């Protein structure tokens, strides 16, 4: 198995593809699954694939999910694609698990092996849900390789505590005027400054960590001596819970509208929750934790791993109502996730495959 895992990882690592462009990645996944005896399907988006192992007997419908896209970096003026989030490893672990489970079989229910496209776009899981291919899925388990900052090598947890992630765009509308006659205009830049100051005063329950900050501020001035009549502000919001996220968004809308009006401008606002915070099923997580203890030893397993990142995985539980667990697997990912030319300890891939096989057998016999 070790040689198969290394060969499989090498292919995906050497063929990185961006979200919804994973055509060669998908082709190779399909070829491997077919060689094991599966009849995989490609998602309607044209990338990503799914295979099913059906026992033919009643039982849980379990999804095992790996993301398959890479990241892009600009190096010396050229775009360079690289698997800097370890998705090449995630694919490899699930492929290896699919191979072993096909050989060993399950006693009840069925398993969906979900090779999800475009996680980095934060829209891939929605495309999988919209396909209808997993409409009867009842529970889902994900897994991600982690850096030492979050999970030490050889350690794991059944709950990776991702945050919710939201974005609010505010378009400020003012009125042009010559800069020598500012009283005839409404300065969209000044209105934008007022909005930023107002948003910085937003407060929520500090026992639930959150952040809200402006990440884009562009004023549309036609020249250096013209009062700009338009500005764009984008706010990035992170929160521990979905309730806190909703509170911040509503407060931000009020702050932006009133701050704009205070200088005679208007604010056009659009908002979107991009990713939901982690929502896990206690019983499923307990079973996954038991598997982790079997594979890694109880002394190396904790209940949860805190994270500052977000993940589109949580669309499955929030949109479908399925039970979920998401494994944080320490792999000494160095120097950190999303760093160009990062690397990890490949021994973690064997552990990850064993964990996914163990989860399937624990749930389905």
């Amino acid at each position: 198995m070790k040689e198969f895992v290394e060969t499989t990882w090498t292919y995906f690592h050497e063929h990185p593809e961006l979200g919804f462009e994973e055509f060669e990645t998908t082709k190779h996944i399909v070829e491997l699954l077919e060689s094991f005896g599966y009849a995989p399907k490609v998602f309607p988006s044209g990338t990503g694939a799914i295979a099913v192992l059906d026992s033919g007997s009643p039982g849980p419908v379990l999804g095992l999910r790996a993301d398959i896209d890479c990241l892009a970096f600009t190096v010396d003026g050229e775009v360079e694609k690289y698997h800097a989030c370890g998705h090449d490893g995630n694919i490899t672990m699930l492929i290896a698990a699919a191979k072993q489970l096909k050989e060993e079989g399950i006693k009840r229910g069925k398993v969906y092996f979900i090779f999800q496209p475009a996680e980095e776009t934060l829209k891939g899981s929605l495309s999988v849900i919209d396909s209808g291919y997993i409409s009867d899925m009842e529970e889902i388990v994900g897994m991600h390789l982690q850096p030492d900052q979050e999970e030490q090598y050889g350690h794991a947890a059944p709950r990776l505590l991702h945050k919710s992630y939201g974005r609010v765009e505010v378009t400020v509308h003012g009125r042009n005027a010559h800069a020598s006659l500012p009283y005839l205009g409404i300065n969209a830049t000044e209105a934008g400054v007022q909005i930023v100051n107002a948003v910085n005063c937003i407060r929520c329950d500090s026992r639930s960590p959150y952040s809200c900050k402006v990440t884009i501020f562009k004023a549309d001035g036609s020249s250096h001596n013209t009062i700009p009549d338009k500005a764009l502000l984008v706010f990035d919001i992170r929160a521990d819970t979905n309730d806190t996220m909703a509170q911040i968004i509503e407060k931000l809308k009020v702050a932006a509208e009133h701050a704009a009006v205070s200088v005679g401008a208007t604010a056009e606002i659009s908002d979107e929750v991009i990713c939901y915070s982690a929502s896990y099923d206690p019983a499923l997580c307990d079973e996954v934790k038991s598997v982790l203890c079997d594979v890694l030893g109880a002394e190396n397993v904790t209940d949860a791993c805190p994270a500052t990142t977000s993940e589109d995985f949580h669309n499955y539980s929030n949109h479908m109502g399925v039970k979920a667990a998401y494994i944080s697997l320490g792999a000494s990912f160095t120097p950190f996730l999303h760093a160009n030319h990062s690397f990890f300890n490949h021994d973690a891939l064997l552990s990850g495959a064993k964990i996914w096989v163990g989860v399937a057998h624990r749930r389905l016999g």
Side-chain angles (χ1 to χ4, degrees), residues 173-255:
H173 299 282
R175 185 169 63 239
N176 278 136
H178 194 284
S180 66
L181 303 168
Y183 61 93
L184 296 179
I186 298 173
N187 195 321
T189 301
E190 293 173 350
V193 171
Q194 293 288 84
I195 290 171
V196 172
N197 288 335
V199 170
N200 284 340
C201 292
I202 290 175
R203 298 291 181 269
C204 291
D205 190 338
S206 58
R207 292 171 297 181
S208 178
Y210 63 88
S211 70
C212 179
K213 60 280 183 187
V214 62
T215 53
I216 295 176
F217 191 153
K218 295 180 179 179
D220 186 16
S222 57
S223 67
H224 70 278
N225 60 355
T226 301
I227 300 295
D229 67 346
K230 190 175 182 180
L232 171 67
L233 294 84
V234 179
F235 291 90
D236 178 287
I237 309 167
R238 311 284 170 150
D240 251 15
T241 68
N242 295 326
D243 287 343
T244 300
M245 174 63 67
Q247 289 179 38
I248 295 173
I249 288 177
E250 288 308 307
K251 290 182 178 184
L252 193 153
K253 288 180 182 178
V254 172

Side-chain angles (χ1 to χ4, degrees), residues 322-348:
V322 300
K323 300 174 182 178
Y326 194 102
I327 299 163
S328 168
L329 180 61
S332 290
F333 211 100
T334 304
F336 45 80
L337 298 177
H338 286 219
N340 197 12
H341 298 300
S342 54
F343 60 92
F344 61 90
N345 187 330
H346 285 199
D347 288 343

Side-chain angles (χ1 to χ4, degrees), residues 154-156 289-303:
H155 291 231
K289 182 179 179 181
S290 180
V291 173
L292 296 176
C293 290
D294 291 342
V295 175
L296 301 173
E299 69 277 9
N300 297 318
V301 178
T302 58
D303 283 331

Side-chain angles (χ1 to χ4, degrees), residues 49-51 61-67 93-94 97-98 101 110-116 137 139-143 288 313 327 353 355-361 363-364:
I50 186 169
V61 181
L62 169 68
L64 302 178
R65 174 268 201 179
D67 34 16
M93 292 186 292
L94 190 55
L101 285 167
K110 61 182 176 180
V111 183
Y112 284 125
F113 300 95
I114 303 167
F115 296 88
Q116 181 205 298
M137 186 175 71
E139 50 196 56
I140 188 169
V141 178
M143 181 156 44
V288 171
F313 174 84
I327 299 163
I355 290 166
W356 255 326
V357 169
V359 169
H361 283 317
R363 296 296 301 134
L364 308 176

Side-chain angles (χ1 to χ4, degrees), residues 245-275:
M245 174 63 67
Q247 289 179 38
I248 295 173
I249 288 177
E250 288 308 307
K251 290 182 178 184
L252 193 153
K253 288 180 182 178
V254 172
E257 289 171 356
H258 287 268
V261 168
S262 72
V263 294
T266 60
E268 178 186 343
I269 302 171
S270 66
D271 64 90
E272 183 179 11
V273 177
I274 310 299
C275 291

Side-chain angles (χ1 to χ4, degrees), residues 160 162 242 276-281 285 313-314 317-318 322-325:
L160 185 50
H162 294 114
N242 295 326
Y276 291 92
S277 61
S279 177
Y280 297 130
D281 180 76
C285 286
F313 174 84
H314 304 291
S317 56
N318 278 277
V322 300
K323 300 174 182 178

